[in-house]
Amino acid sequence: MPDLSTTYLGLNLKNPLVASASPLSKKVDTVKKLEDAGVAAVVMYSLFEEQIVHESKALDFFLSHGSESFAEALTYFPSLESYNVGPEAYLELIAKIKKSVSIPVIGSLNGITTGGWVDYAKKIEEAGADALELNIYFVPTDPDVPAVDLEQEHLDLVNDVRMQVKIPLAVKLSPFFTSLPNLATRLVKAGANGLVLFNRFMQPDMDVETLEVVPTINLSTSNDLRLPLRWIAILYGKVKADLALTSGVHTHTDVLKAMMAGANVAMMASELIENGVKTVPGILAGMTEWMTNFEYESVKQMQGSMSQKAVTEPAAFERANYMKALTSYDNRLAI
Ligand SMILES: Cc1cc2nc3c(=O)[nH]c(=O)nc-3n(C[C@H](O)[C@H](O)[C@H](O)COP(=O)(O)O)c2cc1C
């Protein structure tokens, strides 16, 4: 039997399948089901900066105005019910999940600014999380703010969170950076032990009749794998951080590709949301069968074997590939 084990953020995992942040971690029962199905670790859904700041502003308001101003406060602080549960319930849930499962549990904070809310990193550690993922989800819209300033804000935030915790820290990023390898290197210097590539941004749609911007989040397909695959292959061996691939992992072949590119783990959300935990044993069996047929003894043996450093044609990950792909349609035109 090939050895599927891997390591991620200093954690020993029985295989590379990790459930990434999603509503699946909102219930202890579901996390237990993920563990029973064979998932090796779980990332909690995120606790958002906005939730924490909202809660602390509401508390300040009550303390300074007294409880008789409850009705007034409710209008001043609109309901966050559309978000997840509040910060304290989040911490309690981590503690409960930790008691119920033996797989590692990774907490998740989602925010963009430094400040008091970052204390929750420590609270997540105290609740028992084995590691922390920091999701920096930022959409730049101000033409006066240059990239270098925005990157510095990312680095300051990572540095601040690092100061709060001793547990390993992974940073989940968007693909929209001018020089990702440079930023990745600086994030590691600021204290990141792992990089999670990539966040799938919600792409708002438009309703042309009501003239509303409609928040939309589509589940991924295996086609979405190629963006993180390329960047993991480029970063592997160049940054001193573990790499987690997220976006487009649906099949055992997707996991194998992630490993060959150089990922430590392959994270799944859409596949688990769409097909449930029953998909996991099939993916693990598919990996085992494929590795047996192709005489791989372990996942570790294949990790990075198709990274940019390892392949015979490194330019295939760069511009050369682009020209080749464009010309591949020359003889396939329907006209
Ligand atoms: C319904 C839903 C909720 C999600 N919630 C979170 C979240 O709370 N925090 C986070 O970092 N990512 C969140 N994600 C992003 C996923 O963790 C994952 O990175 C992304 O969906 C790409 O992986 P996939 O192709 O396997 O879905 C969410 C995704 C979905 C579909």
Side-chain angles (χ1 to χ4, degrees):
M1 284 281 275
D3 175 8
L4 298 191
S5 70
T6 183
T7 58
Y8 178 55
L9 304 175
L11 305 164
N12 292 317
L13 305 184
K14 59 189 173 189
N15 66 62
L17 279 195
V18 173
S20 70
S22 85
L24 286 158
S25 51
K26 286 191 177 175
K27 288 198 179 128
V28 180
D29 270 9
T30 329
V31 178
K32 187 90 194 79
K33 281 184 189 152
L34 288 168
E35 176 180 47
D36 292 344
V39 159
V42 65
V43 184
M44 296 290 298
Y45 67 94
S46 295
L47 181 58
F48 288 79
E49 174 180 348
E50 289 84 346
Q51 281 174 277
I52 299 169
V53 171
H54 178 278
E55 187 118 322
S56 91
K57 274 192 190 150
L59 185 65
D60 283 352
F61 189 94
F62 284 125
L63 291 177
S64 56
H65 291 75
S67 55
E68 69 279 4
S69 55
F70 188 70
E72 186 191 347
L74 282 184
T75 49
Y76 189 60
F77 297 104
S79 167
L80 279 187
E81 268 160 27
S82 52
Y83 285 162
N84 306 314
V85 294
E88 295 310 318
Y90 184 83
L91 300 174
E92 280 164 27
L93 182 61
I94 292 184
K96 272 193 209 147
I97 289 176
K98 273 301 292 175
K99 279 197 194 109
S100 313
V101 298
S102 51
I103 53 172
V105 176
I106 301 172
S108 168
L109 274 180
N110 197 318
I112 49 171
T113 64
T114 55
W117 75 277
V118 165
D119 294 353
Y120 272 82
K122 193 172 183 55
K123 294 186 184 185
I124 287 174
E125 177 175 49
E126 286 164 358
D130 297 281
L132 179 65
E133 188 174 286
L134 173 66
N135 183 340
I136 312 181
Y137 181 116
F138 182 78
V139 181
T141 53
D142 185 344
D144 291 329
V145 180
V148 66
D149 291 2
L150 293 175
E151 290 187 2
Q152 192 54 49
E153 282 176 26
H154 282 53
L155 296 166
D156 291 345
L157 178 56
V158 170
N159 192 54
D160 260 26
V161 173
R162 175 75 280 167
M163 307 285 266
Q164 296 285 331
V165 290
K166 294 194 182 67
I167 50 174
L169 173 65
V171 178
K172 188 169 181 177
L173 289 175
S174 87
F176 306 119
F177 291 99
T178 308
S179 175
L180 188 66
N182 176 265
L183 179 70
T185 309
R186 290 188 293 146
L187 287 168
V188 173
K189 276 195 195 133
N193 308 102
L195 299 172
V196 185
L197 310 178
F198 288 114
N199 234 339
R200 279 182 72 234
F201 271 180
M202 179 201 83
Q203 309 288 0
D205 203 354
M206 287 176 186
D207 185 322
V208 291
E209 285 174 19
T210 62
L211 301 183
E212 276 176 316
V213 179
V214 187
T216 312
I217 185 159
N218 293 329
L219 297 182
S220 68
T221 69
S222 287
N223 284 338
D224 295 300
L225 185 78
R226 294 202 293 262
L227 180 67
L229 199 62
R230 164 192 262 185
W231 284 104
I232 297 245
I234 290 173
L235 292 183
Y236 178 80
K238 292 184 191 151
V239 289
K240 291 195 177 79
D242 285 349
L243 299 170
L245 186 149
T246 171
S247 281
V249 178
H250 289 263
T251 65
H252 73 268
T253 313
D254 296 337
V255 183
L256 294 169
K257 287 179 187 173
M259 297 301 107
M260 290 183 184
N264 293 73
V265 291
M267 293 186 166
M268 286 195 307
S270 293
E271 173 63 21
L272 293 170
I273 291 171
E274 217 168 9
N275 295 319
V277 297
K278 65 179 189 308
T279 191
V280 176
I283 294 176
L284 292 173
M287 283 182 74
T288 303
E289 191 184 336
W290 190 92
M291 287 169 69
T292 308
N293 288 345
F294 286 84
E295 298 179 358
Y296 280 88
E297 283 170 10
S298 67
V299 157
K300 289 189 185 108
Q301 184 191 352
M302 68 171 70
Q303 270 163 339
S305 60
M306 287 202 66
S307 64
Q308 193 183 26
K309 279 188 154 185
V311 292
T312 43
E313 199 191 347
F317 286 108
E318 299 169 10
R319 202 176 149 80
N321 212 20
Y322 165 59
M323 288 162 57
K324 209 186 269 180
L326 292 185
T327 50
S328 72
Y329 274 89
D330 287 1
N331 298 322
R332 291 160 58 190
L333 303 177
I335 299 161

